[in-house]
């Protein structure tokens, strides 16, 4: 198991190096470009297979125990170790990352985004995958920081080289925001490591902040929290996200929404909640307040973009919806209760599945019509997907109702549990304040339903007119890339215990200071 986890983390890096080398003569196929894209599908497929085997071999009776662990001394002077391991919190995120990266590689094999050589594209996607998987698997604070930073450069180039309009400005905004947050986060991580004498996340979580004074915890939570909040993204540190999503190629948007945003919220759960509980309790009301402002702000921004005549972009609207959805994740974390944190982790996975599917669909609509402008796509002369491409229109409607939190689909459970966590927050937190936050968050769900239904009405409905060229419905490769996301959205919605059974024991142990 430990070799399997090491392969999952390191395998994509080796694949990235191999992608830059010339393809062997027997594997070139029709062209070197096709060979390297097939290489990307093969490597990400092998990593996904390893992640599934790891999940099947995982001891589901003890999900709170770190499993498949590797612990090797790396920098003895600082007690920095190459420490890997997974529990019920990190395993679902590991599998989600492997799945989404494989589906993006498969999609790109048939629909490579316009831009430079596919060699660099495949190598960057694989480096991105390795960094994200490492973030969810490492158990050392400095290794976590290195993995956290490792994803920034490949995502910058994916936006800047293969993106659409305004790609350079969007890429620079992404890198500057996230790098600035990361510098502050590094100071907080160093403060914890130097004051406690170790960077080991398991030892620090078991200590549960007893080795750190309250003032050190407060400073650490402020510094680390800023870096994590930028990546989450929390209002008002979110403004890089809509530009990045709008400019990014389809697979870049899928990976950014489905995987990268999860790294920030995972850091709150894995590092701040167990290691600095006093500091988290100090900032929890502020985190919850920013979260619910983000929920309402994201929804109002989406309503403004969806309004006729506003020239709203479909990809930009989905990006703003992510600000709202991730607000529920942050609200659940801020409650500091098992119910809220479990809801946050569930909402993380649900958002990755649903928003990943939405960005795939938005990219497909843009490819077919040459635009993602909602005013152009709406009305009798617009997309009218139900009449022109009924399967594509039906799947877009399905993803929209999943995103608005329809009961029976994955989007429902995480948001509901996050609101329940806010209804009865942890001891020491103001219940009246959190009841107010819960009410505002619940109002945000109504706004979400409003803008999603407006999008479906404008893009999917309308009179079918004769066209000079026929719009293609879902292609075979699109069906292969999108079906797993739709199926898992239904499965997680109908059987939430498949996720909650993994996360709950691990969350209980984390919040109890390492005691099962």
């Amino acid at each position: 198991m430990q070799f399997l986890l090491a392969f999952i983390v390191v395998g994509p890096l080796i694949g990235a190096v191999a992608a830059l080398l010339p393809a062997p003569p027997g594997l070139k196929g029709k062209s070197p470009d096709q060979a390297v894209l097939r290489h990307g599908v093969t490597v990400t497929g092998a990593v996904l297979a390893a992640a599934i085997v790891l999940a099947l071999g995982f001891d589901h009776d003890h999900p709170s125990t770190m499993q498949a662990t590797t612990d090797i001394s790396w920098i003895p002077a600082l007690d920095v170790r190459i420490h890997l391991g997974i529990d019920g919190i990190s395993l679902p995120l590991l599998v989600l990352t492997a799945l989404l990266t494989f589906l993006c590689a498969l999609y790109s094999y048939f629909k490579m985004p316009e831009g430079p050589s596919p060699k660099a594209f495949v190598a960057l996607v694989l480096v991105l995958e390795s960094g994200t998987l490492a973030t969810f698997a490492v158990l050392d604070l400095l290794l976590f920081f290195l993995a956290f930073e490792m994803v920034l450069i490949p995502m910058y180039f994916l936006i800047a080289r293969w993106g659409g309009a305004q790609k350079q400005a969007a890429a620079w905004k992404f890198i500057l925001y996230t790098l600035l947050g990361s510098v502050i986060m590094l100071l907080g991580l160093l403060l914890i490591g130097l004051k406690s004498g170790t960077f080991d996340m398991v030892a620090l979580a078991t200590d549960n902040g007893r080795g750190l004074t309250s003032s050190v915890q407060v400073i650490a939570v402020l510094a680390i929290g800023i870096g994590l909040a930028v990546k989450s993204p929390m209002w008002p540190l979110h403004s890089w996200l809509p530009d990045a999503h709008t400019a990014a190629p389809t697979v870049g948007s899928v990976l950014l929404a489905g995987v990268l945003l999860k790294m920030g919220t995972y850091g709150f759960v894995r590092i701040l909640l167990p290691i600095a509980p006093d500091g988290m309790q100090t900032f929890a009301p502020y985190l919850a307040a920013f979260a619910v402002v983000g929920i309402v702000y994201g929804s109002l921004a989406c309503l403004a973009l969806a309004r006729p005549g506003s020239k709203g972009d479909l990809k930009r609207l989905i990006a703003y919806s992510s600000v709202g959805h991730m607000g529920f994740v942050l609200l659940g974390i801020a409650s500091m209760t098992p119910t809220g944190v479990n809801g946050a982790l569930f909402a993380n996975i649900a958002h990755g599945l649903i928003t990943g599917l939405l960005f795939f669909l938005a990219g497909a609509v843009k490819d077919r019509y040459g635009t993602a402008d909602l005013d152009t796509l709406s009305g009798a002369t617009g997309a009218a997907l139900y009449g022109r491409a009924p399967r594509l229109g039906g799947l877009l409607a399905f993803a929209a109702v999943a995103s608005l939190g329809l009961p029976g689909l994955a989007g429902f459970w995480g948001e509901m549990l996050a609101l329940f966590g806010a209804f009865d927050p942890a001891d020491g937190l103001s219940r009246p304040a959190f009841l107010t936050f819960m009410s505002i968050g619940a109002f945000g769900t109504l706004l979400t339903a409003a803008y999603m239904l407006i999008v479906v009405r404008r893009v999917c409905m309308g009179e079918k007119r004769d066209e000079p060229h026929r719009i293609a419905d879902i292609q075979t490769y699109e069906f292969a890339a999108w079906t797993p996301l739709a199926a898992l959205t239904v499965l997680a919605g109908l059987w939430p215990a498949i996720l909650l059974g993994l996360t709950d024991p691990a969350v209980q142990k984390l919040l109890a200071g390492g005691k099962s």
Side-chain angles (χ1 to χ4, degrees):
M1 290 279 282
Q2 67 187 92
F3 291 115
L4 207 56
L5 182 59
F7 167 74
I8 289 169
V9 172
V10 179
L13 267 186
I14 299 170
V17 174
L20 297 173
L21 301 175
L27 297 177
K28 281 185 180 176
K30 294 177 183 175
S31 70
D33 287 354
Q34 186 196 46
V36 76
L37 290 169
R38 188 170 59 236
H39 169 78
V41 175
T42 304
V43 174
T44 55
V47 172
L48 175 60
I52 292 170
V53 172
L54 188 70
L56 293 174
F58 187 81
D59 184 356
H60 291 261
D61 293 329
H62 300 93
S64 62
T65 306
M66 282 295 170
Q67 301 180 33
T69 53
T70 300
D71 193 0
I72 304 167
S73 179
W74 184 35
I75 307 175
L78 293 175
D79 194 27
V80 177
R81 311 183 69 78
I82 298 175
H83 193 182
L84 305 177
I86 51 163
D87 62 358
I89 293 171
S90 49
L91 179 63
L93 289 164
L94 204 75
V95 176
L96 176 71
T97 301
L99 172 67
L100 280 174
T101 314
F102 169 69
L103 296 179
C104 286
L106 182 65
Y107 186 83
S108 300
Y109 179 76
F110 295 96
K111 188 72 181 176
M112 172 69 195
E114 292 182 15
S117 154
K119 272 194 171 192
F121 176 82
V122 170
L124 288 169
V125 168
L126 291 173
V127 172
L128 183 71
E129 179 182 30
S130 180
T132 315
L133 291 168
T135 302
F136 299 136
V138 298
L139 297 171
D140 183 277
L141 289 178
L142 289 187
L143 274 187
F144 175 87
F145 176 78
L146 292 176
F148 199 83
E149 294 306 287
M150 185 175 159
V151 303
L152 300 185
I153 301 304
M155 182 52 75
Y156 167 81
F157 281 111
L158 286 175
I159 297 170
R161 303 298 297 277
W162 286 270
Q166 305 294 319
K167 58 187 180 184
Q168 292 290 345
W172 273 110
K173 200 169 185 180
F174 163 76
I175 199 81
L176 290 175
Y177 260 83
T178 47
L179 274 178
L180 182 62
S182 298
V183 169
I184 300 169
M185 184 175 79
L186 177 60
L187 297 176
L189 294 173
L190 290 171
L191 177 66
I192 287 178
L194 296 174
K195 288 291 183 181
S196 62
T198 181
F199 289 96
D200 187 270
M201 288 154 70
V202 177
L204 288 165
T206 306
D207 191 52
N208 201 220
R210 286 183 287 270
L212 300 170
T213 64
S214 293
S215 57
V216 168
Q217 289 190 38
V218 168
I219 295 168
V221 169
L222 180 62
I224 298 169
I226 288 172
L228 298 175
V230 170
K231 193 70 75 75
S232 292
M234 182 185 79
W235 180 92
L237 303 173
H238 68 283
S239 60
W240 60 270
L241 183 74
D243 292 340
H245 271 310
T246 307
T250 297
V251 293
S253 292
V254 172
L255 292 173
L256 183 56
V259 176
L260 263 69
L261 302 191
K262 312 298 169 279
M263 294 163 61
T265 49
Y266 172 78
F268 275 106
V269 175
R270 176 64 74 199
I271 297 173
L272 295 185
L273 277 176
I275 294 175
D278 294 345
M280 268 301 286
Q281 191 159 63
T282 301
F283 284 106
Y286 304 102
L287 179 62
F290 284 128
V292 295
V293 170
I295 291 169
V296 175
Y297 170 83
S299 300
L300 291 175
C302 290
L303 278 171
L305 289 169
R307 193 178 67 244
S310 64
K311 292 291 181 186
D313 184 278
L314 181 57
K315 287 183 73 177
R316 195 173 189 84
L317 183 143
I318 299 168
Y320 272 111
S321 79
S322 290
V323 176
H325 289 305
M326 297 310 286
F328 283 101
V329 177
L330 293 168
L331 178 61
I333 293 168
S335 74
M336 297 183 69
T337 62
T339 304
V341 176
N342 275 306
L345 293 170
F346 197 103
N348 251 348
I349 301 297
H351 179 266
L353 296 171
I354 297 166
T355 308
L357 179 58
L358 276 170
F359 273 117
F360 268 134
L361 293 165
V365 170
K366 187 173 183 178
D367 289 338
R368 285 159 171 78
Y369 289 92
T371 181
D373 178 68
L374 284 168
D375 287 335
T376 308
L377 294 172
S378 66
T381 57
L385 288 180
Y386 286 157
R388 291 177 179 156
R391 288 193 291 274
L392 182 61
L395 193 55
L396 180 60
F398 165 82
V401 296
S403 182
L404 64 83
L406 186 75
L409 297 175
F412 171 73
W413 295 106
E415 294 182 4
M416 186 192 72
L417 289 171
L419 292 174
F420 277 178
F423 178 76
D424 189 16
D427 294 339
L429 297 177
S430 167
R431 192 167 183 226
F434 272 82
L435 285 174
T436 305
F437 299 145
M438 184 201 75
S439 304
I440 298 170
F443 175 66
T445 62
L446 300 178
L447 296 176
T448 305
Y451 70 73
M452 277 300 178
L453 293 175
I454 290 171
V455 168
V456 170
R457 177 172 60 79
R458 297 191 70 200
V459 177
C460 297
M461 299 180 186
E463 185 183 340
K464 181 184 175 184
R465 295 282 180 91
D466 291 333
E467 296 177 278
H469 62 280
R470 187 172 175 274
I471 297 299
D473 209 339
I474 295 178
Q475 304 294 293
T476 305
Y477 72 91
E478 293 173 330
F479 182 81
W482 302 344
T483 301
L485 299 179
L488 288 171
T489 299
V490 174
L491 179 65
L494 295 177
W495 190 20
I498 197 170
L499 273 176
L500 295 175
L502 278 172
T503 61
D504 186 50
V507 168
Q508 298 272 5
K509 181 177 179 180
L510 211 63
L511 294 177
K515 304 179 187 71
S516 297

